[in-house]
Amino acid sequence: MPSYQTRKYWLALVLLGIASATLLVFATTALSIYIYGNLNNIVKADAAIVLGAAVWGEQPSPVFRERINHAINLYKRGTVRNIIFTGGVGAEKALAEAIVGKRYAMDRGVKEADILIETESYTTYQNLKNAREVASKKKLRKFLIVSDPLHLKRAVLMAQDMGMEAYPSPTPTTRYRSFKSQFEFLMRETYFYFVYLVLKF
């Protein structure tokens, strides 16, 4: 019969193996999220879906502004024919994110007729679900998902799981520039990616 010390040794090995395997899966997934966010295949689509971000009063926050500017550039280059802005009212009770995005884009030459909005969502999943419903009314079927690079693997997977023909279109610039901010964003996205795989919302 194995001694207590022997059992303790094998238990430690098993726990170490489980911890190592978990860490390896997490690290591999984080790497795939990073690589995916740096892919930018040029695909023409019916619309760019701009995922919501914070607003400051009546102006987009720096993160949201980067996303809006990228969508405007896609529109002006003819890569998309429409822009769909998403996002409701945040904690500060400012204007809805989608309304701020629309006003900002119109001030920079995007036709109001080419802009769609949804103002009820608070999460990435809701952004996409509501955008799909808005798009269906105009029979838009092919989409570029516009967001920060590290956000896109999860967002595009969500959209595809909803039956949308969706492709990533990362912002060429991001407010998450320092190693610390990028690392924190990557760790958070990796966690939420696993949460989505389990819960599917």
Side-chain angles (χ1 to χ4, degrees):
M1 183 175 179
S3 67
Y4 172 76
Q5 289 296 333
T6 302
R7 291 197 302 271
K8 189 175 179 181
Y9 170 77
W10 282 109
L11 177 60
L13 282 182
V14 169
L15 293 175
L16 179 61
I18 292 172
S20 299
T22 301
L23 181 61
L24 179 61
V25 170
F26 191 89
T28 302
T29 303
L31 179 61
S32 73
I33 289 171
Y34 180 84
I35 293 172
Y36 188 90
N38 285 279
L39 300 176
N40 191 16
N41 299 322
I42 305 301
V43 178
K44 284 199 170 186
D46 296 328
I49 298 176
V50 182
L51 299 183
V55 298
W56 295 352
E58 297 185 1
Q59 297 298 320
S61 65
V63 169
F64 196 25
R65 187 171 63 241
E66 299 284 349
R67 299 179 187 182
I68 302 169
N69 285 336
H70 182 47
I72 292 171
N73 289 334
L74 292 172
Y75 173 84
K76 290 185 173 181
R77 291 200 305 261
T79 305
V80 298
R81 294 184 288 108
N82 299 270
I83 300 175
I84 303 173
F85 289 108
T86 67
V89 177
E92 300 301 320
K93 301 301 180 185
L95 289 175
E97 295 163 6
I99 291 175
V100 171
K102 177 180 178 178
R103 290 181 178 179
Y104 183 96
M106 288 176 59
D107 287 344
R108 285 151 184 81
V110 180
K111 296 178 182 178
E112 184 174 10
D114 294 333
I115 298 175
L116 303 173
I117 64 171
E118 71 76 27
T119 60
E120 302 298 324
S121 62
Y122 298 96
T123 66
T124 300
Y125 186 85
Q126 293 171 355
N127 287 166
L128 294 165
K129 180 175 179 291
N130 294 353
R132 180 188 62 179
E133 293 172 2
V134 168
S136 68
K137 296 175 182 177
K138 288 199 67 172
K139 295 182 168 51
L140 306 178
R141 295 184 174 85
K142 188 174 181 180
F143 306 97
L144 295 181
I145 310 299
V146 173
S147 190
D148 293 83
L150 298 178
H151 190 196
L152 282 172
K153 187 175 177 71
R154 178 167 63 98
V156 172
L157 176 61
M158 286 179 172
Q160 291 174 344
D161 284 349
M162 293 177 194
M164 301 166 68
E165 184 179 354
Y167 303 89
S169 189
T171 55
T173 54
T174 178
R175 302 300 297 183
Y176 300 99
R177 291 177 181 149
S178 69
F179 174 81
K180 180 177 183 294
S181 63
Q182 286 199 38
F183 181 78
E184 290 175 351
F185 193 0
L186 179 58
M187 292 300 99
R188 186 168 64 250
E189 269 304 308
T190 304
Y191 169 76
F192 282 120
Y193 184 80
F194 282 114
V195 170
Y196 174 71
L197 291 179
V198 174
L199 300 179
K200 288 297 180 181
F201 66 83

